[in-house]
């Protein structure tokens, strides 16, 4: 029997397949289904500080609008005793999930203000989350902001959060850093226990008929895995941090690739959104089958086996494709 | 026992008592009583219990008549039941009140007394409604202040349980119902102490029950009815003593001592006024003031008006009395005197005759009217009445507070007379509606009242406009108790604040400032610049009165701290800092505490931005060094332009600049009929931004004009020669209209009338191909464009109206060539209802009669000073009337009956006179095809000819026909109203009118809620939406009015949404009018009570249709004759989810935010509702309509 267990952020997980941050986790029943399907942990949907602030201000705006203006209609809505426009429902959900499932629950946070990051991180810990993944989602459009300033800000932020909480902390990274290894190292130095590679940003599309910019959710394709795969392979063994691969995992084979490159776990979202939680069970079966077929004994055994430090040709991970093609052509002995 | 001192208005105070003393509450909203019902509903939803430990059950009914019926039913089965109402609502309860009293049933109805609609509707306070109910047999208990209102609510309940007489407890609408004052709150223990549970059990025991069956409401005959009616005499005889007993018990508990008739004043008074309601406080304070100067005056406050105890009244009158004046806050035309006057005269005469009167000689007695519809009743007026009584021949049946230059009933009074205490601080704040000024002031009063030992009072005056309105807050506070139910007078205000700079141009607000007072101005100009931007009148007053002048740029602080347009906490902080009522730091702490209390539940971000605003305020507050001279070149604007008609200038103009009180009786129309088209003279300039037209991008589709709620963006097609005299900035472009080749086309905006709602921009489909964000119209700042665009507008309006026969109005673009005859209303910016009315006025306005139900459409349609229904260059336009709420369909039917009858009569006369008039003319008239504009125009020509010929005839029938002739031009009868009318209170009448089969067009402006009174649920409110009386989300589905109407089979029914499909809406209007029978159009109207960005209103309409919750259809009975299915579904099957539509709206979203589980359940049901409805409609539209004759023919 193959041993699928792995360790991630100090947690012992029964297998390397984790459900990543998505709307699935908004309902306890769904998370239960993921657990039943075999997920070894769940990363909750992100708590967006910006959304909380927006909801709160929007509610205030619309409840105030038009009030105390016309004598017959001094208000337009009943005013309730309480509104869930803070993080309460998210925190309640963490508690409910902890009460309902056995597998670890990892909180996910996207803040917008320094105070917000720290405050919500603490609350998520207090609510009982086993770990916290910081979702640093931002599109920097400020032409005067240097890469160093941007990175320094993030590092300072992560340090503050690290000081504030005791549960394991991971960062969901985007690939758009000038020197990704340096940035990753700084994060680890700041006390981060894990790195999740990579965040997929929703990119807006253009409707040429209506001449409008439209938001568009595109689920990942298998090709999306290549980028995080490369970087995990490069990072493995060189950073004191666990690695998680997210984006483009669609099959058991993909999970194995991720583990071999050096990831402790592989995260799924698009595949689950496309095919439902049952797909997860199928993927686990695929992993079992592959490992049995290839006579691998355990996940631990193959963990990082194909990372840069461990492969035959480490430079393959560093060069862009065309270089390899040329080199291979050049390397051919012509007779 | 320590009771809490609380600061609140009478509605809330009364509701607190009534709620705790009842088990069932059935209500219907009506201003100014709605607040009581809303409180009850909110508390019930929160699970707050009454004094017996159970939660009262609150039910909203379809009308007050329904509420009274439900109350009667609940009472007769033994519940402790109450209701809250006013005015027309109370009238509708009268039949049940007779029953409830006749059956000796204990209950208290709480009424915020309001005027009755006679020559006009008024939401304001007087005693017309309660006195109209005085014959019902209800006992009547009057309160004169907020404290009394709370106290009497309890006393009434105790008395009704003991006496078995039902009570009507009333207090002045607005003046007391909405006055915020500091009172001692009655505790649960107080309530329990006053209510005898054995009486409660007895009441319950009398309830109908099969366990002890009896019958009530028998029909009786002449043999016994009379005797049966006399059986209640002992109960009415005992009632006054029972009430006094309850009052005495109350006094022992609280120390506040009341009597059926309370006397105050000199013990040896010679002149006495008898009065009930808040006016009594004014008279009492005036008498006190004058008595201190040596006069001998007194006042009797009437508390128990029914049963009227002659004995108790006589005991209250001092023996020294030489003259009595009785004040009535109502008018009973045709009576020998007003109600209280008649009662008192009867009492005095009886007493005198029996020898039980306290005086030997009958005093001189006069009676008069005051304060109708919250007309101010001031100490000066009270004094004038006391002075009148000094005369040898004092005026009887006088009026006071107005100038009656027609029948000369009015008394003169000295407007400078004031009895204000110097220790009391008086502050007036002029705010822009919804900027938070009123809320901040209510909060300030609360802080002062509850955190200091000061007494505090707040009263708020609102505007009749639904957007861009002016609010005026009157605050008093000080060490002495405040008994001043009148506004702060000219020259009496220690502090005047203006929260909107441009009000300085419109209103003389500094006339209220007392010398040496403070003036705080919200100004975008700094302390060093502001002086030169003030009108010269303002400068002069500041100098003359030596005012201390402060400025703050509150909008900038608000923007920086994320407060948007809400300057409440900013101005409030400044007020406290300047007034010094609390030390600065303490004031800030208190403000922050109440921010947390009020807004904490809306989230940290909201609390924080308010805190930031408070913290930023004082640093931005600056005192202005006042120069010695008034040097400004600017003057205050006149309210209407010089070119306005005389009536507009002399009468409406005065009302616009807040001088309406000075208008004499002769200025008003005798029958309440006002001229049309007056909004064009009131240039409001409330838009911060207005649309700017880009001719090169415009595709001339007409959509911008179609959707504009205010008719401020219009189009015209005209001859190019007319451009010769166009102003330099006037834009035009080659017209793309095949009906008029070679013509020019312009889209023009009315810059001073636009509200800046932006719907035109949203509707515009034309985008710049090089810059997608730029459309054929784009918003730009109004101020720089005001002058040039005003000139352009004037020129545009001078261009000829397009010939109605040239452009067939069957397309959206053509329809907008027709002149709108509904313009510049005071509706909310971006209103969803008004574009439909404007469209109807374009299509049919010059031959349209409208019956308009009470509601938003009657307010923006008919609230003075200016009204939007207008007339064209020929002087024709919609004739409009609002009757009541419940009768609107019938009212419109009556109009149709007249037109039909007159047409019939005119036809008969035409035929009889055809010899003299000419056979051809008569035939042409009678056979005219008036199905299009050309036909109607031709008929107009014929009718003119007819009238010319009739004018020269000697036949007496000619004069008859001449007076009727205009009816021969086809008329269009429209019955308009909202969903509150159509689905609820007016439904019975609507149903009958549909059934009657006459040619009427009914337009239901469906906002899915009672918009005008602040968002109470109607049967049109959809499932899962939150509204007042559906605070937990409406659990039942929306009534399908369209389906019900279709059931008749001969009614044209259309469901439209202009934002989803404008062409469909247009088609429906044309088909409805063309259909010779009853038509009903149900029109989706987005509304501020949906809690949406109003600029997205049209998009939400699209979403409503796309998710299937609002299917578009037309049911045209005319198709049945062609063997076709009359139902055509005009929108597609749902393409988006209900949530995608609903959760853009606060009315749905707030349930998700407060009770997610329930929101999910209801939303799931809402989705099923949509599926069910589509399933039904789809199948209905597929039914074969070939049967009977048609089928046989085919076979």
């Amino acid at each position: 029997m193959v041993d699928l267990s792995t360790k991630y952020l100090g947690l012992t997980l029964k297998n390397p397949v984790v459900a990543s941050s998505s709307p699935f986790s908004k309902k306890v029943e769904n998370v239960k289904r993921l657990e039943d399907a075999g997920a070894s942990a769940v990363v909750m949907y992100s708590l967006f500080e910006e959304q909380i602030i927006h909801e709160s201000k929007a509610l205030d705006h619309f409840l105030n609008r038009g009030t105390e203006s016309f004598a017959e209609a001094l208000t337009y809505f009943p005013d309730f005793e309480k509104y869930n426009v803070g993080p309460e429902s998210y925190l309640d959900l963490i508690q409910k999930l902890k009460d309902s499932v056995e597998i670890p629950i990892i909180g996910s946070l996207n803040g917008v203000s320094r105070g917000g990051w720290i405050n919500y991180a603490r609350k998520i810990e207090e609510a009982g989350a086993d770990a916290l993944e910081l979702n640093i989602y931002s599109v920097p459009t400020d032409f005067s902001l240097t890469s160093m300033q941007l990175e320094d800000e993030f590092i300072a932020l992560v340090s503050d959060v690290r000081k504030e909480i005791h549960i394991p902390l991971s960062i969901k990274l985007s690939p758009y850093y000038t020197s990704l290894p340096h940035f990753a190292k700084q994060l680890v130095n700041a006390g981060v226990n894990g790195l999740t590679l990579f965040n997929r940003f929703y990119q807006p599309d253009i409707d040429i008929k209506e001449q409008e910019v439209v938001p568009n959710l595109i689920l990942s394709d298998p090709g999306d895995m290549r980028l995080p795969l490369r970087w995990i392979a490069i990072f493995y063994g060189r950073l004191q941090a666990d690695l998680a691969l997210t984006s483009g995992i669609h099959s058991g084979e993909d999970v194995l690739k991720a583990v071999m490159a050096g990831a402790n776990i592989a995260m799924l979202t698009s595949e689950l959104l496309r095919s439902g939680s049952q797909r997860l069970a199928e993927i686990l079966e695929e992993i079992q089958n592959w490992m049995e077929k290839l006579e691998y004994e355990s996940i631990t055994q193959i963990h990082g086996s194909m990372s840069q430090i461990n492969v035959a040709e480490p430079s393959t991970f560093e060069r862009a494709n065309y270089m390899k093609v040329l080199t291979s052509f050049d390397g051919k002995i012509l007779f | 026992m320590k009771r809490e001192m609380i600061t609140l208005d009478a509605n809330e105070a009364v509701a607190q008592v009534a709620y705790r003393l009842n088990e069932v509450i059935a209500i219907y909203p009506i201003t100014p009583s709605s607040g009581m019902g809303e409180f009850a509903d909110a508390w019930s939803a929160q699970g707050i219990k009454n004094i017996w430990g159970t939660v009262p059950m609150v039910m909203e009914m379809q009308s007050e008549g329904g509420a009274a019926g439900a109350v009667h039913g609940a009472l007769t089965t033994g519940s402790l039941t109450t209701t809250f109402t006013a005015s027309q609502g109370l009238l509708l309860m009268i039949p049940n009140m007779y029953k409830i009293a006749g059956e000796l049933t204990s209950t208290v109805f709480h009424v915020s007394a309001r005027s009755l609609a006679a020559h006009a509707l008024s939401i304001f306070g007087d005693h017309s409604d309660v006195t109209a109910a005085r014959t019902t047999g209800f006992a009547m208990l009057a309160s004169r202040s907020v404290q009394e209102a709370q106290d009497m609510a309890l006393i009434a309940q105790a008395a009704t349980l003991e006496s078995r007489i039902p009570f009507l407890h009333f207090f002045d609408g607005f003046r007391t119902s909405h006055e915020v004052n500091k009172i001692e709150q009655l505790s649960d223990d107080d309530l329990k102490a006053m209510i005898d549970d054995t009486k409660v059990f007895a009441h319950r025991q009398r309830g109908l029950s099969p366990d002890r069956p009896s019958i009530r409401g028998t029909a009786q005959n002449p043999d016994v009815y009379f005797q049966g009616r006399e059986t209640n005499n002992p109960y009415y005889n005992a009632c006054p003593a029972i009430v006094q007993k309850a009052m005495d018990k109350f006094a022992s508990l609280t120390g506040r001592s009341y009597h059926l008739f309370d006397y105050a004043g000199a013990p040896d008074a010679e002149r006495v006024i008898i009065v009930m309601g808040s006016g009594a406080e004014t008279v009492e304070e005036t008498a006190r003031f004058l008595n201190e100067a040596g006069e001998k005056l007194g006042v009797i406050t009437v508390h128990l008006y029914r049963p009227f105890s002659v004995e108790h009244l006589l005991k209250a009158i001092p023996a020294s009395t030489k003259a009595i004046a009785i004040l009535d806050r109502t008018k009973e035309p045709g009576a020998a005197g007003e109600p209280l006057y008649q009662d008192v005269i009867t009492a005095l005469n009886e007493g005198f005759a029996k020898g039980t009167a306290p005086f030997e000689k009958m005093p001189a007695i006069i009676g008069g009217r005051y304060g109708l519809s919250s007309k101010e009743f001031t100490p000066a007026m009270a004094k004038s009445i006391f002075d009148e009584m000094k005369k040898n021949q004092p005026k009887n049946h006088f009026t006071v507070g107005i100038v009656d230059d027609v029948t000369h009933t009015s008394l003169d009074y000295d407007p400078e007379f004031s009895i204000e205490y110097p220790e009391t601080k008086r502050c007036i704040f002029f705010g822009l509606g919804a900027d938070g000024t009123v809320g901040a002031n209510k909060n300030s009063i609360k802080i002062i009242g509850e955190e200091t030992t000061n007494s505090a009072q707040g009263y708020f005056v609102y505007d009749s406009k639904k957007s861009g309105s002016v609010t005026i807050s009157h605050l008093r506070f000080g060490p002495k108790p405040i008994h001043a139910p009148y506004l702060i007078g000219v020259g009496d205000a220690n502090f005047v604040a203006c929260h909107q700079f441009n009000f300085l141009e419109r209103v003389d607000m500094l006339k209220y400032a007392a010398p040496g007072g403070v003036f705080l101005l919200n100004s975008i100009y700094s302390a060093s610049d502001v002086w030169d931007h003030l009108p010269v009148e303002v400068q002069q007053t500041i100098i003359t009165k030596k005012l201390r002048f402060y400025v703050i740029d509150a909008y900038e602080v608000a923007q920086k701290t994320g407060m948007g347009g809400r300057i409440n906490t900013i101005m409030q902080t400044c007020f406290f800092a300047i007034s010094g009522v609390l030390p600065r730091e303490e004031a800030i702490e208190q403000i922050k505490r109440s921010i947390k209390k009020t807004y904490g539940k809306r989230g940290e971000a909201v609390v924080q931005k308010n805190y930031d605003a408070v913290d930023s305020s004082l640093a931005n507050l600056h005192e202005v060094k006042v120069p010695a001279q008034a040097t400004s070149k600017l003057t205050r604007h006149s309210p209407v332009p010089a070119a306005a008609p005389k009536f507009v200038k002399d009468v409406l103009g005065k009302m616009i600049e807040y001088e309406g009180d000075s208008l004499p009786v002769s200025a008003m129309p005798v029958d309440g009929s006002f001229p049309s088209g007056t909004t064009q003279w009131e240039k409001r300039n409330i838009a911060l931004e207005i649309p700017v037209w880009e001719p090169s991008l415009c595709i001339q589709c007409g959509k911008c004009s179609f959707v504009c709620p205010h008719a401020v963006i219009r189009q015209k097609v005209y001859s190019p020669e007319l451009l010769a005299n166009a102003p330099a900035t006037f834009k035009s472009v080659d017209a793309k209209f095949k009906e008029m080749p070679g013509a020019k086309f312009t889209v023009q905006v009315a810059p001073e009338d636009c509200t800046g709602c932006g719907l035109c921009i949203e509707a515009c489909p034309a985008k710049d191909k090089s810059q997608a964000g730029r459309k054929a119209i784009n918003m730009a700042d109004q101020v720089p464009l005001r002058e040039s665009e005003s000139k352009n507008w004037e020129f545009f309006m001078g261009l000829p109206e397009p010939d109605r026969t040239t452009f067939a109005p069957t397309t959206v673009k053509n329809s907008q060539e027709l002149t709108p005859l509904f313009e510049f209303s005071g509706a909310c910016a971006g209103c969803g209802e008004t574009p439909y009315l404007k469209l109807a006025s374009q299509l049919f306005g010059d031959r349209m009669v409208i019956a308009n139900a009470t509601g938003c459409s009657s307010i923006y349609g008919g609230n003075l000073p200016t009204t939007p229904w207008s007339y064209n260059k020929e002087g024709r336009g919609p004739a409009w009337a609002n009757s009541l709420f419940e009768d609107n369909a019938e009212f419109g039917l009556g109009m149709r009956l007249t037109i039909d009858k007159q047409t019939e009569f005119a036809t008969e006369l035409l035929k009889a006179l055809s010899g003299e008039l000419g056979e051809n003319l008569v035939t042409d008239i009678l056979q005219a095809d008036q199905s299009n504009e050309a036909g109607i125009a031709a008929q107009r020509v014929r009718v003119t000819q007819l009238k010319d010929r009739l004018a020269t005839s000697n036949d007496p029938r000619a004069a008859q026909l001449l007076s009727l002739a205009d009816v021969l031009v086809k008329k269009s009868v429209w019955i308009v109203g909202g969903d509150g009318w159509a689905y609820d209170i007016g439904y019975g009448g609507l149903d009958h009118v549909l059934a009657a089969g006459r040619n009427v067009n009914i337009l239901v402006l469906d906002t899915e809620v009672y918009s005008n009174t602040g968002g109470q649920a109607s049967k049109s409110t959809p499932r899962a939406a939150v509204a007042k009386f559906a605070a937990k989300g409406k659990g039942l589905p929306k009534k399908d009015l369209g389906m019900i109407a279709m059931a008749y089979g001969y009614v044209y029914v259309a469901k439209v949404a202009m934002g989803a499909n404008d062409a469909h809406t247009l088609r429906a209007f044309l088909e409805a009018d063309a259909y010779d029978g009853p038509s009903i159009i149900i029109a989706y109207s987005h509304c501020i009570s949906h809690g949406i960005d109003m600029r997205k209103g049209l998009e939400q309409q699209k979403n409503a249709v796309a998710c299937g919750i609002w299917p578009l259809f037309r049911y045209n009975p005319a198709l049945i004759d062609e063997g076709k299915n009359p139902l055509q579904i005009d929108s597609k099957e749902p393409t988006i989810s209900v949530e995608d539509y609903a959760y853009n709206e606060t009315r749905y979203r707030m349930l998700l935010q407060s009770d997610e589980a329930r929101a999910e359940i209801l939303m799931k049901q809402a989705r099923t509702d949509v599926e069910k409805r589509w399933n039904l409609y789809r199948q209905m539209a597929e039914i074969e309509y070939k049967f009977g004759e048609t089928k046989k023919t085919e076979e």
Side-chain angles (χ1 to χ4, degrees), chain B residues 138-284:
Chain B
F138 263 59
M140 293 172 69
L141 197 57
S143 292
R144 65 181 215 179
S145 65
V146 181
Q147 180 74 70
E148 279 198 15
Q150 184 206 224
D151 297 346
M152 294 297 167
L154 174 54
I155 290 166
Q157 185 77 9
T160 191
L161 283 167
E162 182 158 347
S163 67
R164 284 188 68 177
I165 310 254
F167 270 65
L168 192 163
H169 165 229
F170 69 97
F171 43 98
D172 292 354
F174 277 103
R175 187 61 254 180
T176 309
S177 69
H178 284 60
E179 176 182 301
V180 176
N181 212 315
K182 183 172 173 176
I183 67 168
E184 186 183 65
Q185 186 183 37
L186 294 172
S187 66
D188 281 3
D189 288 338
D190 292 324
L191 270 54
K192 285 179 187 153
M194 285 291 292
I195 303 297
D196 181 350
D197 269 1
T198 60
K199 302 283 189 286
V200 173
F201 301 150
H203 172 82
R204 202 171 284 152
Q205 197 60 22
R206 286 190 294 272
L208 279 185
S209 164
D211 297 319
R212 42 179 194 276
S214 63
I215 51 169
R216 275 177 200 157
T218 56
Q220 296 181 353
N221 294 329
D223 52 349
V224 294
Y225 179 93
F226 196 162
Q227 298 91 298
R229 200 77 179 101
E230 296 293 328
T231 55
N232 58 22
N233 296 343
Y235 291 86
Y236 283 84
N237 292 341
C239 186
I242 289 172
V243 175
Q244 190 56 62
K245 191 173 126 203
M247 286 176 167
D248 293 342
K249 178 141 190 226
F250 186 86
S252 71
L253 285 170
T254 63
R256 286 189 295 281
S257 176
Y258 298 109
H259 303 87
L260 310 188
F261 298 91
D262 263 311
Y263 179 80
D268 56 344
E270 293 177 348
R271 287 168 279 146
V272 174
I273 288 179
I274 303 180
V275 59
M276 59 185 179
S278 66
E281 283 214 324
T282 306
V283 176
E284 186 170 318

Side-chain angles (χ1 to χ4, degrees), chain B residues 15-77:
Chain B
Q16 280 183 357
V17 173
Y19 180 84
R20 286 179 284 171
L21 296 176
N22 282 283
E23 300 165 308
V24 171
I25 304 175
I27 57 90
Y28 187 76
I30 183 167
T31 308
S33 71
S34 317
M36 291 186 273
E38 284 166 24
F39 279 117
D41 184 58
W43 295 329
S44 180
Q46 286 164 38
I48 294 178
K49 302 185 164 86
N50 65 14
I51 57 168
W52 296 281
T54 187
V55 179
M57 204 171 269
V58 179
M59 178 93 185
E60 185 189 15
M61 296 301 293
Q62 88 286 11
S63 72
E64 291 89 347
V71 163
H72 186 196
L75 287 170
T76 212
T77 39

Side-chain angles (χ1 to χ4, degrees), chain A residues 205-305:
Chain A
D205 197 0
I206 286 179
D207 180 337
I208 59 169
K209 184 161 154 276
E210 297 298 324
Q211 287 178 265
E212 270 170 21
V213 177
V214 290
N216 205 351
L217 167 60
I218 300 177
L219 301 179
S220 73
D221 294 320
D224 292 337
M225 219 189 118
R226 301 291 185 83
L227 191 63
L229 194 67
R230 169 211 287 262
W231 283 105
I232 284 179
I234 291 170
F235 284 169
Y236 178 79
R238 294 198 175 102
L239 288 176
Q240 293 276 41
D242 290 341
L243 301 167
L245 193 150
T246 184
S247 202
I249 301 282
H250 290 267
S251 66
E253 192 178 334
D254 292 339
V255 175
L256 288 171
K257 287 181 190 173
V259 171
M260 288 182 180
N264 298 68
I265 59 165
M267 295 199 189
L268 304 180
T269 295
S270 298
E271 190 60 18
L272 298 177
L273 290 173
R274 224 183 247 123
S275 313
S277 56
Q278 217 21 58
R279 182 79 189 106
L280 203 146
E282 290 167 18
I283 286 174
L284 281 168
E285 215 183 300
E286 285 171 22
I287 295 171
Q288 282 276 13
N289 292 342
W290 266 114
M291 288 183 74
E292 278 165 9
K293 189 165 157 193
L294 299 171
E295 292 174 2
Y296 294 143
E297 287 162 14
S298 66
I299 289 294
T300 325
Q301 179 193 45
I302 60 172
H303 182 208
S305 59

Side-chain angles (χ1 to χ4, degrees), chain B residues 676-722:
Chain B
S676 283
T678 51
T679 47
Q680 60 179 301
W681 304 111
E682 187 180 5
K683 297 300 180 198
R684 299 181 63 209
N685 280 298
I686 58 174
L688 296 173
E689 289 184 321
I690 57 171
V692 174
W693 182 50
E694 302 296 338
S696 59
L697 294 172
C698 181
I699 61 173
Q700 301 182 22
C701 63
K703 283 177 191 284
C704 57
S705 175
F706 199 86
V707 303
C708 176
H710 291 84
V712 298
I713 184 165
R714 303 189 196 179
Q715 63 181 60
K716 273 187 184 170
V717 173
Y718 52 92
S719 290
E721 308 85 67
L722 295 164

Side-chain angles (χ1 to χ4, degrees), chain B residues 814-861:
Chain B
N814 278 10
S815 72
Q816 296 314 298
E817 283 300 304
L818 303 174
T819 313
L821 298 179
F822 175 84
E823 56 184 13
F824 319 140
S825 71
C828 297
C831 174
E833 294 189 355
T834 48
Y836 296 109
L837 295 174
K838 189 192 74 189
L839 177 64
S841 79
Q842 287 173 292
L843 299 173
F844 321 113
D846 62 354
R847 52 191 183 83
M848 197 175 176
V849 189
I850 304 169
N852 208 125
T854 307
C856 276
S857 52
S858 71
I859 295 302
Y860 59 66

Side-chain angles (χ1 to χ4, degrees), chain B residues 101-143:
Chain B
E103 290 165 2
L104 286 177
T105 327
S106 303
T107 180
V108 183
F109 285 15
H110 300 276
V111 175
S112 50
R114 164 182 150 181
S115 311
L116 294 178
H119 63 289
L121 174 146
S122 169
I123 58 172
F124 294 100
D126 63 36
H127 300 161
S128 311
D129 53 1
V130 295
T131 50
R134 72 191 189 278
T135 53
T136 55
F138 263 59
M140 293 172 69
L141 197 57
S143 292

Side-chain angles (χ1 to χ4, degrees), chain B residues 267 420-421:
Chain B
E420 296 276 4
Y421 292 117

